Amino acid sequence: MDDLEELNEQQAAAELERLARVIAEHDSRYHGDDAPVISDAEYDALRGRNRELEELFPALVRPDSPSRKVGSSVQSKFEKITHEVPMLSLDNAFSDDDVTDFVNRVRRFLKWPDDKPLQLTAEPKIDGLSLALRYEQGELVSAATRGDGTVGENVTANARTISEIPHKLNGVGLPDVVEIRGEVYLGKKDFQALNDRMEAEGKPTYVNPRNTAAGSLRQLDSNITASRPLRFFAYAWGAMSDMPGASQFNMVNLFEDWGFAINPLMGRYDTVEGLIGQYRIIEQQRASLDYDIDGVVYKVDDLDLQRRLGFVSRSPRWAIAHKFPAELATTLLKEIEIQVGRTGALSPVARLEPVTVGGVVVSNATLHNEDYIAGIGSNGEPIREGRDLRVGDTVTIYRAGDVIPKVMDVDLSKRPADSQAFVFPEICPACGSAAVREVNAKTGRPDSVRRCTGGLVCPAQAVEGLKHFVSRNAFDIDGLGDKQAEAFYEWGLIANAADIFTLKERDERSLTRLKNRDGFGDTSAANLFDSIDARRTVDLHRFIFALGIRHVGEGNAKLLARHYHTIEAFMAAMDGAASFDSDAWEELTNIDGIGETAARAVVQFFAEPHNRTVTDELLVHVTTIPAEQASSDSPVAGKTIVFTGSLEQMTRDEAKAMAERLGAKVSGSVSARTDLVVAGPGAGSKLKKAESLDVDVIDEDGWFKLVGR
Ligand code: IVH
């Protein structure tokens, strides 16, 4: 188009208006789960044009200019709503055996006799996005997306445009507060019609119904949402002032009476065979249903049992999603690339001839690790005679739900005669350090992953660590995304996480100011410093997650934060846990949900002096908000409890989960730091020790009296 310098003020204003609109639209397609329709380079060119024009006409910078929201702040375009009851996810089962294991696990946890029937429901897993609808006195007052499970986005105005979401509930004797949860989705036929319309208008088409539903619900303009025929199935609930039903099945049927659509394929069964029978029926109907489903969800029916079973990390123990097998496609393996991750792992990635799998175009797929390429299975045995993966091969790839595509197999009959076996690098492609496979202490076999030994010398590891640190569920620094993290590292401005917080101060003294650098201007630099300042106080769990400790994802970070409450207590405990016969180590490994691998990784992380230095330095600039303890008003909150002897009204697992839910720490051995011992019949040495140390001892009835059940 025109040369920017030639534009007069009026033309420039019009062009800035257009750019703001177009960039916002692409941002929302990109971040709002919708599919991006332009390449990164085209997107960057649009932003570059906007920046240049703003520099030429500084007086015309718009309040909604894209330069004021570097890297897009779409995530904050809606108000936040904190879920009174967190919105969790489901564990997956991939085979009939996994389902049997699940039911056995539930029975064991509850000590349910083998011959006593245990009822579970089975229903389709809808491939849409979950929504929580709050009704007070029967009136819809708010609608929130799942978000990170704790905090979601307020999309009430948009939810009101969905005809299957009642504004007022039917029925008498409704609880004062009712929170219905379910799935928003777009029907397959409606999706097709929408795409036909887009195509007729010469506009880009949408990728799949799920992403389109997500994008439609997260529109700032409710008229757009209203123009998309979104639908809603109710299948669960959150906060309820009263429970009008005693089982999953009855609750969901009540929802229908109240005015919701419920899925007609929900059934109730008391054997694994019954559940799997329903799975097969649903699977057979899958193609003819007008909505996408990706599996079948089983839920323990009795709500008292659901309460006893509780949760592990982020999923209920009482439910599981039995996923359908993944969809397959065949394509050409064009290249094998090695990427270096945050923990130094060398990950092979397949570059593929683009192909559509399950409605999405795939051009990259993971190849897992070196052995997988060489055709060696995780048991150390060849996967199949002569099966390795080579550039030039024709491969089958699969994609299950949202997970990254994987290469499943190779068609050896189509292998070119001159193909060469792939040689996995033994030096890190990013820094040239040796890349090694450690020997796994448990199996005595080399680890499947080859890791760069360069540590912080390795730019790939340092940059990936920074990207993780600023990512959405960690520090979530607006305007400091992947691209900026790479640029800052390259410019030598940020080498580790602590440097982020001294950036502004150093910039003020620097000759090359950030505002003069590529991709930045006065406004964007100032905005970035503001958003960094806004993160000088963060929740403890975000801080722990951001450190990038191996095996410590968001779920484990939350468990650790909730258990130790403050950063000081947490770090002191990790020092103490460095010796494996310490109480601190026992306490750590006793946290429900923290396995030994994660426990070792945390302890090792803090034992490494460099990690210690960076963490300490971070804490000079950052204040952590102590985590809420599980339940601070319970009589056992903060107490250390030991269960011993045989328990009769609850299993040991159940006792532990209950105590932890109430904010107590459960330990396996009695020491001077034990506050309470709950002893059942047959208690021996632990009871004696408690008595000798003068620790309070109660029996199981005393426990129920104490915790009020
Ligand atoms: S029950 C505690 N039932 O699956 C979890 N979820 O992986 C309660 N979903 O975020 C969820 N269909 O968006 C449940 N029939 C169904 C479902 C379903 C789809 C989604 C939901 C949830 C995700 C969990």
Side-chain angles (χ1 to χ4, degrees):
M1 206 180 122
D2 30 34
D3 195 348
L4 295 181
E5 298 193 26
E6 307 276 337
L7 298 185
N8 65 30
E9 212 168 80
Q10 206 184 352
Q11 290 166 323
E15 175 66 352
L16 284 169
E17 191 273 332
R18 185 189 74 88
L19 287 166
R21 198 163 27 81
V22 172
I23 293 172
E25 171 65 22
H26 290 307
D27 277 346
S28 98
R29 295 182 74 91
Y30 187 83
H31 293 274
D33 275 344
D34 236 342
V37 288
I38 54 172
S39 68
D40 286 359
E42 287 167 306
Y43 175 78
D44 288 347
L46 285 174
R47 290 188 78 101
R49 182 173 173 83
N50 187 69
R51 192 179 55 245
E52 270 174 60
L53 202 49
E54 286 185 347
E55 274 162 17
L56 289 168
F57 297 94
L60 297 183
V61 174
R62 302 169 56 83
D64 65 347
S65 163
S67 64
R68 293 188 173 218
K69 30 179 188 176
V70 188
S72 162
S73 56
V74 191
Q75 277 136 13
S76 55
K77 71 183 177 183
F78 292 103
E79 269 174 46
K80 305 280 182 213
I81 289 188
T82 301
H83 300 297
E84 208 172 304
V85 178
M87 289 181 85
L88 301 153
S89 47
L90 292 168
D91 233 6
N92 291 326
F94 295 100
S95 65
D96 294 359
D97 284 350
D98 288 352
V99 179
T100 308
D101 288 350
F102 160 70
V103 174
N104 287 341
R105 240 180 358 255
V106 167
R107 283 180 167 273
R108 249 196 331 272
F109 189 94
L110 297 169
K111 278 221 170 125
W112 204 256
D114 287 349
D115 52 359
K116 189 169 165 186
L118 176 70
Q119 294 221 307
L120 289 102
T121 57
E123 69 198 62
K125 184 168 191 294
I126 318 294
D127 197 10
L129 68 150
S130 46
L131 189 67
L133 304 167
R134 186 178 171 99
Y135 292 83
E136 291 176 7
Q137 267 73 44
E139 301 270 350
L140 176 65
V141 293
S142 69
T145 62
R146 179 174 184 275
D148 64 2
T150 310
V151 180
E153 287 175 326
N154 184 342
V155 291
T156 314
N158 293 343
R160 284 183 194 280
T161 70
I162 301 177
S163 63
E164 285 183 323
I165 294 183
H167 292 194
K168 195 168 170 32
L169 301 182
N170 296 330
V172 277
L174 285 168
D176 290 346
V177 176
V178 164
E179 188 190 322
I180 302 292
R181 294 181 176 178
E183 204 82 352
V184 173
Y185 66 97
L186 186 61
K188 292 183 194 167
K189 288 202 193 85
D190 288 329
F191 171 74
Q192 195 50 52
L194 176 65
N195 261 354
D196 290 347
R197 213 162 62 223
M198 296 296 280
E199 210 166 328
E201 291 169 14
K203 293 186 186 152
T205 53
Y206 296 96
V207 172
N208 63 33
R210 199 198 81 84
N211 286 0
T212 315
S216 304
L217 189 66
R218 297 176 72 251
Q219 290 289 336
L220 279 180
D221 179 356
S222 302
N223 292 319
I224 301 182
T225 315
S227 74
R228 312 263 168 88
L230 295 176
R231 309 191 59 182
F232 182 78
F233 273 128
Y235 54 64
W237 58 93
M240 301 285 285
S241 57
D242 256 317
M243 284 300 282
S247 74
Q248 180 73 35
F249 198 77
N250 294 344
M251 285 293 283
V252 175
N253 278 306
L254 267 178
F255 297 168
E256 188 175 29
D257 299 341
W258 293 350
F260 289 97
I262 64 169
N263 195 285
L265 292 167
M266 177 176 65
R268 189 156 49 168
Y269 307 89
D270 57 18
T271 58
V272 171
E273 293 70 33
L275 294 173
I276 289 176
Q278 180 66 357
Y279 173 90
R280 301 263 181 267
I281 290 175
I282 296 175
E283 191 180 29
Q284 268 161 17
Q285 298 196 17
R286 185 181 186 188
S288 59
L289 296 174
D290 187 40
Y291 43 90
D292 280 336
I293 61 175
D294 57 352
V296 173
V297 185
Y298 307 128
K299 301 172 185 169
V300 171
D301 191 41
D302 184 314
L303 301 187
D304 255 343
L305 300 184
Q306 285 193 3
R307 194 182 44 75
R308 281 176 61 191
L309 285 155
F311 302 85
V312 219
S313 192
R314 300 180 62 77
S315 342
R317 278 198 196 84
W318 45 264
I320 202 156
H322 188 180
K323 301 301 273 290
F324 291 133
E327 293 187 60
L328 306 177
T330 299
T331 190
L332 181 74
L333 173 51
K334 293 198 304 188
E335 206 74 60
I336 297 177
E337 241 177 65
I338 306 291
Q339 291 178 348
V340 186
R342 176 163 58 84
T343 58
L346 268 49
S347 309
V349 177
R351 302 283 175 223
L352 306 166
E353 189 64 40
V355 61
T356 306
V357 201
V360 171
V361 179
V362 167
S363 43
N364 302 313
T366 173
L367 292 170
H368 308 279
N369 54 50
E370 183 170 350
D371 284 349
Y372 191 75
I373 298 178
I376 301 166
S378 50
N379 55 2
E381 303 291 323
I383 293 172
R384 195 177 74 227
E385 200 44 44
R387 143 56 180 94
D388 63 346
L389 297 174
R390 302 179 180 192
V391 171
D393 272 345
T394 298
V395 290
T396 315
I397 60 163
Y398 66 100
R399 202 182 139 261
D402 271 344
V403 291
I404 14 168
K406 295 177 179 171
V407 169
M408 190 170 75
D409 209 353
V410 53
D411 184 346
L412 292 174
S413 70
K414 297 206 172 120
R415 173 169 283 176
D418 59 350
S419 78
Q420 303 278 319
F422 180 75
V423 182
F424 204 93
E426 291 181 4
I427 60 164
C428 170
C431 71
S433 304
V436 300
R437 295 176 67 169
E438 284 164 16
V439 173
N440 184 311
K442 275 195 206 138
T443 61
R445 285 213 308 268
D447 225 358
S448 60
V449 177
R450 189 175 283 279
R451 273 175 214 284
C452 161
T453 53
L456 287 150
V457 178
C458 177
Q461 287 186 54
V463 168
E464 292 307 313
L466 281 176
K467 287 183 190 169
H468 172 79
F469 187 88
V470 298
S471 65
R472 172 145 178 236
N473 296 331
F475 266 68
D476 190 20
I477 299 182
D478 234 7
L480 188 46
D482 285 3
K483 273 191 200 156
Q484 290 83 357
E486 277 170 18
F488 281 118
Y489 185 84
E490 208 169 288
W491 294 332
L493 290 177
I494 299 179
N496 64 45
D499 291 344
I500 295 172
F501 297 95
T502 56
L503 185 65
K504 183 175 171 185
E505 195 186 313
R506 286 180 287 123
D507 187 60
E508 279 158 8
R509 286 185 268 113
S510 158
L511 292 179
T512 324
R513 302 289 302 269
L514 181 58
K515 61 185 181 189
N516 300 325
R517 284 185 188 265
D518 232 16
F520 284 91
D522 277 341
T523 327
S524 55
N527 284 350
L528 175 61
F529 295 138
D530 285 350
S531 45
I532 293 174
D533 282 345
R535 293 290 183 267
R536 287 181 194 268
T537 305
V538 283
D539 287 327
L540 177 58
H541 70 86
R542 283 181 179 267
F543 186 90
I544 297 176
F545 175 61
L547 294 175
I549 305 168
R550 265 175 85 186
H551 308 294
V552 179
E554 239 195 309
N556 278 351
K558 283 192 177 156
L559 291 176
L560 292 167
R562 233 174 276 146
H563 186 87
Y564 292 103
H565 195 48
T566 65
I567 185 72
E568 293 77 16
F570 171 55
M571 287 176 64
M574 294 312 101
D575 284 347
S579 125
F580 291 153
D581 55 7
S582 62
D583 286 351
W585 170 254
E586 189 181 327
E587 182 178 333
L588 173 63
T589 46
N590 260 318
I591 301 175
D592 200 14
I594 298 283
E596 188 164 333
T597 317
R600 272 180 201 273
V602 193
V603 170
Q604 267 168 17
F605 179 90
F606 286 103
E608 160 68 42
H610 180 86
N611 292 334
R612 209 40 197 240
T613 314
V614 174
T615 311
D616 287 343
E617 208 178 306
L618 263 172
L619 288 169
V620 173
H621 307 287
V622 173
T623 310
T624 54
I625 305 170
E628 289 275 326
Q629 261 158 354
S631 170
S632 50
D633 53 3
S634 91
V636 294
K639 300 259 162 67
T640 301
I641 300 180
V642 175
F643 290 93
T644 180
S646 54
L647 301 174
E648 286 160 344
Q649 302 170 49
M650 52 184 172
T651 64
R652 193 58 74 80
D653 280 347
E654 217 178 325
K656 185 163 177 248
M658 186 190 298
E660 282 174 350
R661 212 163 41 233
L662 294 166
K665 295 173 193 169
V666 176
S667 170
S669 62
V670 177
S671 75
R673 300 201 333 195
T674 309
D675 295 302
L676 180 66
V677 170
V678 182
S685 62
K686 290 185 194 171
L687 178 59
K688 282 213 188 83
K689 185 152 184 209
E691 282 162 354
S692 75
L693 290 169
D694 233 358
V695 173
D696 285 344
V697 179
I698 55 174
D699 62 10
E700 210 175 344
D701 283 337
W703 165 255
F704 282 111
K705 222 176 274 162
L706 178 67
V707 300
R709 289 242 174 81

